[in-house]
Amino acid sequence: MSAAVAEGFGGPERVEVVRVPIPRPGAGQVRVRVRAAGLNPVDGAVRAGVFGGEGQRLGFGWDVAGEIEELGAEVSGWAVADRVVGLHYGTVKPLGTHAESVVLDASALAPAPAGVDDVMAAALPLSGLTAARAVDLLELAPGASVLVTGAAGAVGGLAVQLAARAGYVVTALAGADDEELVRSLGATRFVPRGGAPAEAVDGVVDTAVLGGPALAFVRDGGAYVGLIPGAAPAAERGVRVVEQEVAADGAHLARLVTLVDAGELALRVARTFPLAEAPKAHAQLADPGTRGRIVLTA
C-alpha cells in the first residue's frame, strides 16, 4: 500500500509517498481503510525533527476517518465495514494515518459522524480532543470569562465552541479579518491579534502558544491552559497553570461525534489533497492564512 513518510528531517521536500507492507492488527486492534486523514502542525514538527527520531523512518498523521477492514483478536463491539473516526497517537512512528490503511487500538475509535462525510470527519479527532480537554481543564464556574488565543485556528475554533457550550463568556483573540468567523462560533467578545482584552479574564486557553503574554491576561487566581507539554509559562499571581496532552480516547471522541451530529460542533476543512500529493499538503501547512484543517484523501 502507499504511505507518506520521511527518511530524514527537513521541509516539505523530505516527504515522499512510498510502498509499504499492509499492517495487520494484533489483539485489541483493528485495521482501518483510510478515506481521509487530517494534516496537523504536529506533523510539520515531526518532519522538522522536534521530537527526535534521527535515522528512523517517520510516518505522518494522527487523525483518521474511514471504515474497518479487519478486526484483531479480542475485539468486540465493532464489525468490518463500520464507519469510524480515530486518533493514532504518537510522534515518532514508522507509519501514521497518511496511508491507505492504518492499525489502531479499538479503544481509540468512535463511530463516524453520520451527518458529515469522511473528509469533514477527519478534522475532528486530534483538534476536537485537544480542544475539549483544554476547556475541561479550565475548571471554572459557568459565566466565567475565558479568552481563547488563536481562536480562528482548527483547535482554537473548536475551543471557542466548546467553551461557549460550557457556559463561559468567550473572548476570541485572532486576526482582524477573523472577527466575523469567531463570533459565528460563539465568541461574544473579540480582541485582534496584538491587542489585549479590556479587562483580565478568569481563564485562558492558549491555542496560539503565546505563553507569558497570554498568562498576563488572566486575573490573579485564574487559570491558564497550555496545549504543548513543557511549553507553558511559570505560574504567578496564584494563576493555576496546567498543560493538556491529548490521548487516544474513543469514548471521549464519541461524545464529540454526538455534538457534531446534533449540529452543536462545527468542523472546518481548508483544503484537501490526495495522498500522492502529501508534499504539497505539507507546504500548505506552512501558510499562516490557512483556516481549518488540511485533509489528505486516500
Side-chain angles (χ1 to χ4, degrees):
M1 69 173 191
S2 296
V5 302
E7 298 291 351
F9 304 145
E13 74 282 353
R14 298 308 303 262
V15 180
E16 55 184 325
V17 178
V18 300
R19 300 293 289 178
V20 299
I22 296 174
R24 299 299 302 275
Q29 296 182 318
V30 302
R31 188 173 79 240
V32 175
R33 175 67 172 92
V34 180
R35 297 301 179 187
L39 175 65
N40 293 276
V42 68
D43 294 303
V46 169
R47 188 194 67 232
V50 171
F51 303 104
E54 185 174 1
Q56 302 179 45
R57 170 173 283 182
L58 302 173
F60 300 106
W62 293 50
D63 302 301
V64 64
E67 63 264 0
I68 294 174
E69 56 183 3
E70 184 179 359
L71 301 173
E74 302 173 16
V75 173
S76 60
W78 296 106
V80 171
D82 282 350
R83 286 188 66 234
V84 294
V85 289
L87 181 69
H88 187 17
Y89 180 90
T91 50
V92 180
K93 53 196 178 189
L95 182 66
T97 63
H98 296 174
E100 292 180 305
S101 293
V102 66
V103 167
L104 290 84
D105 291 340
S107 60
L109 298 177
V116 300
D117 62 16
D118 290 326
V119 168
M120 196 64 72
L124 177 64
L126 181 56
S127 295
L129 289 169
T130 299
R133 179 158 171 75
V135 171
D136 288 347
L137 287 171
L138 286 168
E139 297 180 357
L140 299 169
S145 58
V146 170
L147 174 71
V148 177
T149 70
V155 176
L158 291 171
V160 168
Q161 295 177 70
L162 292 167
R165 189 176 183 278
Y168 298 137
V169 178
V170 180
T171 298
L173 191 155
D177 293 339
D178 295 316
E179 180 173 1
E180 182 178 353
L181 167 64
V182 295
R183 286 188 182 277
S184 75
L185 298 175
T188 57
R189 301 169 183 166
F190 176 75
V191 176
R193 188 181 299 117
E199 57 187 28
V201 295
D202 297 314
V204 164
V205 176
D206 190 15
T207 78
V209 198
L210 299 182
L215 181 67
F217 298 147
V218 182
R219 64 165 174 81
D220 295 358
Y224 169 98
V225 180
L227 301 190
I228 300 178
E236 59 180 47
R237 300 179 289 105
V239 175
R240 179 172 53 88
V241 173
V242 294
E243 298 172 322
Q244 80 88 36
E245 183 168 2
V246 73
D249 185 339
H252 196 174
L253 183 56
R255 294 195 292 274
L256 296 176
V257 167
T258 298
L259 295 180
V260 173
D261 277 335
E264 298 179 22
L265 192 62
L267 303 172
R268 294 178 295 143
V269 171
R271 286 194 64 180
T272 63
F273 293 85
L275 178 62
E277 295 182 4
K280 292 183 180 180
H282 275 253
Q284 179 68 39
L285 188 64
D287 183 350
T290 300
R291 294 291 179 263
R293 184 57 62 225
I294 298 168
V295 174
L296 295 177
T297 56

